[in-house]
Amino acid sequence: MHYWTKQEAMAFPQSPKIHLGTEGPDVSWKLQPRFHVCTNISVNRQHMAGNIAELAIYKKENYENIQPNAKTVNKSQKILASSRQVHKTAAHGDALHVHREGTDFGSRRVSKLLSGTDSYSDPFRRAAARGDFISVSHSNDDILSCVYKWISDSALVVARSAPEETVTSSFASFIHAVRPEHLTKTVRYRSKRMILDSIGVGLMGSTTPVFNIALQYCRELYSSVAVSSVYGRPGMKLSPTLAAFTNGVATHSMDFDDTWHPATHPSGAVLPALLAASQMLPPSTKPNGLDFLLAFNVGLEVQGRLMHFSTEAHNIPKRFHPPSVVGTMGSAAATAKLLSLSMTQCAHALGIAASLAGAPMANAATQAKPLHIGNATRLGFEAALLAARGMEANPVILDDIPGCSGFSAFYSVYHPKPLSTPGDHHEFLLEKQDIAFKRFPAHLGMHWVVDAALSVRNLFINYAGSFSPSLIRTIVLKIPVSKYINRPFPSSEHQARHSFQFNACTALLDGEVGLSSFTESSIHRQELRELLDKVVVEHPEDNVANFDKMYGEVALLLHSGDVLTGKCDTFYGHWRKPLSRESLLKKFRSNASHVFPEEKVETIITMVDNLENMSDSSQLACSL
């Protein structure tokens, strides 16, 4: 960086850049320090009676409208703005003028400005870093020379520091500053339930064909750092990011993982990355259980806050699968926290993750959908690792910047809000709203129609003495409009998990929906096909595609002319009607017992229950 000396300042009249104004020479140039900071400075050396000192900040958009040299100095109209007013105005980037008469004012005020003790200092530093137009007028060339240097320094200082007053920097600050003591008893309890459930569905998922495909793929990739465990494969290790990927695929392979509102699968996108990272770190820096739990909650909080940036996120998705977007960001945030990255690195991790996010809804109900969770947890993990190694990204990736989309590219309606500083006034979203745990492995929307179908089935048995499909003329399903889960005749396991019709008819025919409901033999039963042929779908206007507002209704129109109806507004397992501890443990034991013996299953339960007291959180990963 080149600083202007008094001699250089005095040489300006001979400079080819000189512009003669009505009140004296006007010299303009651009400073271009590192980090692409561009500061425009116009220096007006005016010799006026009374020695007027003038400081001004102008917004960049208004450069063309500003002609500071053309202003007539009128002593009677000078106003001395208070420090508070000056600071507030400058912080908003508005035009700021400060005038004061008297021979001593300029020297005294500028000296305070240069020392950083004056209230004008911060606004000027921010203006310099933003590249705003800064005008400084003074009759003393020595002072002007000092101001030149100060503004140059300011531009560099601000550019090298973490982003200020942005949505992105507020998220980075939260990730960096949040501490275990900020987790309430409720948040700890609910998040440990999520961890246990996610491990259980992951262990169950490790028995599926799609998991085996992903695992074989990862084993064929060369890695010299195979240190992280794989769900359901004792003794097998992969590199940390590949272990996170395979375990993420396992978690979503049966669509059995938890769901939040606005709609996403939060645990599967975060937990596998943290488990793998805990094993990656050297023994001297292994995070304890409380640190692990904190990082997990950071990942949840970031996902939840991002989902609240757009009203579009509140409804069942149509364009992209939410965990492939917010899950990637949550994984990056959680891993950044576990790795103790700086605030600046946390911001870069979010920026890098945004470039790795996204997956289309067209791959729902296929074997590719579990890859969305696998990639989210892996790529977020990689984003944090890259940031830790010095990679930089856009420091305002979460902010709404007109003409240059960051995270807003995923939404047509986008209203980002800063994340408050952790402390007494910050309430975690998990504190306000619980999670939904699934009782059977299918899309969350299926749980409404299944409970409605079971309700009307009981009415039918009371009516006819037994369930007899031959007495049914038509089955009417009243469901929200959602194309990818409206599948009249599913032909595969993954399609069946995303079919209102299949799940309603299975519940009517069998009196339950469970793991065995999605086998090839169950899907292609003749009696099930006959029930599916009777289904008619209706979409009432009041039944919106929103997990917090939708309902499921199943009506049986009998040949006798009678009509039986079952309706479900809130299924058991929804955040408004959460699973009891007994029900959650029953689900976990059922899932984990497909992979581990009873003793090991109970050991995992105990470890999660006592996670805060664990001195080395990698022990949990080693047990899986």
Side-chain angles (χ1 to χ4, degrees):
M1 169 54 62
H2 176 70
Y3 297 124
W4 298 96
T5 65
K6 176 183 176 182
Q7 288 72 23
E8 289 172 319
M10 295 301 293
F12 282 155
Q14 286 73 46
S15 168
K17 296 181 180 179
I18 191 69
H19 302 285
L20 294 178
T22 57
E23 299 183 33
D26 176 1
V27 182
S28 301
W29 74 93
K30 288 186 178 181
L31 294 176
Q32 291 184 314
R34 293 178 58 195
F35 304 105
H36 307 289
V37 175
C38 179
T39 302
N40 290 267
I41 303 175
S42 175
V43 180
N44 310 303
R45 292 187 289 128
Q46 303 171 357
H47 298 276
M48 298 173 291
N51 191 8
I52 303 298
E54 179 181 352
L55 308 178
I57 296 178
Y58 303 98
K59 293 189 72 172
K60 284 185 288 186
E61 307 91 273
N62 299 327
Y63 283 167
E64 296 179 358
N65 300 324
I66 297 173
Q67 296 179 345
N69 280 348
K71 293 182 180 294
T72 300
V73 179
N74 187 333
K75 299 181 182 180
S76 64
Q77 296 178 350
K78 300 302 179 184
I79 300 174
L80 178 61
S82 70
S83 297
R84 181 171 299 179
Q85 290 173 323
V86 169
H87 190 281
K88 181 178 180 181
T89 305
H92 286 82
D94 299 327
L96 170 65
H97 303 275
V98 181
H99 305 286
R100 181 63 186 270
E101 298 179 31
T103 56
D104 295 331
F105 172 80
S107 299
R108 186 168 61 248
R109 180 61 70 186
V110 172
S111 66
K112 290 184 178 180
L113 178 71
L114 299 179
S115 67
T117 60
D118 188 82
S119 60
Y120 304 152
S121 298
D122 286 343
F124 265 81
R125 285 194 179 97
R126 283 195 294 273
R130 283 198 306 264
D132 290 349
F133 189 107
I134 300 178
S135 174
V136 182
S137 297
H138 202 279
S139 59
N140 187 313
D141 289 315
D142 288 325
I143 291 178
L144 280 178
S145 179
C146 292
V147 172
Y148 307 154
K149 183 178 186 302
W150 175 83
I151 292 176
S152 301
D153 288 338
S154 296
L156 286 173
V157 169
V158 177
R160 288 170 176 165
S161 64
E164 295 181 22
E165 299 177 357
T166 68
V167 173
T168 309
S169 65
S170 73
F171 273 67
S173 177
F174 174 85
I175 296 167
H176 177 69
V178 68
R179 296 291 178 262
E181 55 267 25
H182 296 135
L183 301 179
T184 66
K185 184 179 296 185
T186 298
V187 169
R188 293 187 188 191
Y189 169 75
R190 289 177 173 175
S191 57
K192 287 194 294 183
R193 281 162 56 90
M194 295 170 71
I195 290 172
L196 185 68
D197 182 73
S198 186
I199 290 172
V201 299
L203 291 173
M204 184 68 225
S206 70
T207 66
T208 62
V210 66
F211 171 81
N212 288 327
I213 293 173
L215 178 60
Q216 185 62 33
Y217 165 75
C218 289
R219 293 186 68 184
E220 291 172 357
L221 295 178
Y222 172 77
S223 175
S224 60
V225 285
V227 296
S228 299
S229 301
V230 178
Y231 281 165
R233 299 294 189 275
M236 181 182 294
K237 298 290 177 64
L238 294 173
S239 64
T241 57
L242 292 182
F245 171 74
T246 54
N247 291 340
V249 170
T251 301
H252 199 58
S253 63
M254 302 175 75
D255 222 305
F256 210 178
D257 44 337
D258 56 23
T259 306
W260 214 5
H261 177 75
T264 193
H265 305 289
S267 297
V270 172
L271 184 60
L274 295 180
L275 291 169
S278 69
Q279 292 181 290
M280 174 189 75
L281 295 171
S284 60
T285 60
K286 293 287 188 187
N288 60 39
L290 192 52
D291 291 333
F292 186 97
L293 190 60
L294 176 64
F296 181 74
N297 276 282
V298 165
L300 301 182
E301 185 74 358
V302 166
Q303 290 181 77
R305 296 292 174 177
L306 292 177
M307 294 294 285
H308 281 82
F309 280 6
S310 176
T311 54
E312 297 173 64
H314 289 217
N315 297 331
I316 296 176
K318 297 178 181 179
R319 294 190 296 131
F320 61 86
H321 196 201
S324 72
V325 175
V326 297
T328 307
M329 305 295 281
S331 173
T335 311
K337 184 62 182 176
L338 196 72
L339 299 179
S340 300
L341 300 194
S342 70
M343 177 178 161
T344 300
Q345 290 172 323
C346 289
H348 289 314
L350 293 175
I352 296 167
S355 286
L356 303 174
M361 283 307 303
N363 271 330
T366 72
Q367 283 191 329
K369 190 187 180 195
L371 300 182
H372 299 177
I373 302 295
N375 278 331
T377 192
R378 170 192 179 177
L379 296 176
F381 186 178
E382 290 181 355
L385 292 177
L386 289 169
R389 284 159 176 74
M391 180 173 285
E392 298 176 353
N394 192 316
V396 289
I397 197 68
L398 301 182
D399 294 75
D400 189 14
I401 308 297
C404 187
S405 296
F407 192 73
S408 62
F410 295 104
Y411 301 99
S412 58
V413 178
Y414 187 74
H415 302 291
K417 297 179 180 179
L419 187 54
S420 62
T421 303
D424 296 336
H425 300 294
H426 180 85
E427 184 178 29
F428 281 81
L429 289 177
L430 191 58
E431 177 85 27
K432 296 187 283 187
Q433 180 184 290
D434 205 348
I435 205 80
F437 294 110
K438 300 176 181 179
R439 304 193 317 274
F440 55 90
H443 183 278
L444 192 72
M446 305 305 107
H447 289 67
W448 276 275
V449 295
V450 165
D451 278 15
L454 293 176
S455 175
V456 76
R457 186 179 192 274
N458 290 333
L459 293 177
F460 186 78
I461 291 175
N462 291 334
Y463 171 89
S466 64
F467 185 77
S468 178
S470 62
L471 300 178
I472 301 174
R473 176 171 57 85
T474 304
I475 302 171
V476 178
L477 301 186
K478 295 185 178 182
I479 55 176
V481 176
S482 186
K483 186 175 178 62
Y484 80 99
I485 46 180
N486 183 358
R487 299 177 182 273
F489 300 102
S491 59
S492 70
E493 164 201 348
H494 293 282
Q495 290 181 11
R497 299 186 196 279
H498 295 76
S499 168
F500 280 123
Q501 295 89 332
F502 174 86
N503 284 273
C505 289
T506 297
L508 288 172
L509 190 62
D510 301 333
E512 66 176 357
V513 177
L515 293 173
S516 61
S517 300
F518 301 96
T519 61
E520 286 292 315
S521 58
S522 294
I523 292 171
H524 298 290
R525 288 178 290 170
Q526 181 60 33
E527 56 270 36
L528 180 62
R529 174 59 64 118
E530 291 173 357
L531 274 186
L532 288 171
D533 285 333
K534 298 180 180 184
V535 173
V536 174
V537 169
E538 295 181 0
H539 301 298
E541 290 186 2
D542 67 335
N543 198 357
V544 296
N546 182 305
F547 290 148
D548 205 40
K549 300 176 180 178
M550 68 172 285
Y551 63 85
E553 186 173 315
V554 179
L556 304 181
L557 283 56
L558 307 182
H559 288 293
S560 64
D562 292 327
V563 178
L564 304 175
T565 302
K567 184 177 181 180
C568 174
D569 294 306
T570 304
F571 65 86
Y572 181 48
H574 190 272
W575 44 83
R576 289 193 299 266
K577 193 185 292 185
L579 291 184
S580 66
R581 175 172 171 80
E582 291 72 22
S583 295
L584 188 69
L585 289 177
K586 180 180 179 180
K587 175 186 175 181
F588 177 80
R589 290 181 174 120
S590 174
N591 286 330
S593 64
H594 283 80
V595 178
F596 292 138
E598 180 180 352
E599 181 179 357
K600 189 165 186 176
V601 171
E602 296 304 316
T603 297
I604 296 172
I605 293 174
T606 301
M607 292 179 76
V608 175
D609 281 346
N610 296 286
L611 188 56
E612 300 99 318
N613 303 317
M614 190 178 295
S615 59
D616 178 2
S617 61
S618 67
Q619 295 174 5
L620 178 60
C622 293
S623 69
L624 306 177

